[in-house]
Amino acid sequence: MGITSGLVLYAVIWWMTLMCIAPLRLKTQADVGKVTPGTQAGSLEVHNLKPKLWITTGIATVLFAIAATIILSGWITIEDLDWWGRMGSTAEG
């Protein structure tokens, strides 16, 4: 795994983790009880974004370390995931 593919893998893991963490512990305007006129009652009032970004970074770093270890060690290779035999086959004439 090169540097670029490592960065891309980390970015994908980070964004996927953020999409899982972001909806947790949200408080809407309706939950708080003060809906601003002209806005939807489901609009966010308290989002706690900064702690969620730190939590996301921590979880993503751990998941990336696990994935990078598996990839770099060769425990699982692309041939292991080739269930239909496409990688090792050659064109038959």
Side-chain angles (χ1 to χ4, degrees), residues 26-48:
L26 292 177
K27 290 188 180 173
T28 64
Q29 291 181 8
D31 293 339
V32 175
K34 57 178 195 178
V35 178
T36 305
T39 63
Q40 184 184 21
S43 300
L44 295 180
E45 185 67 30
V46 179
H47 52 73
N48 300 316

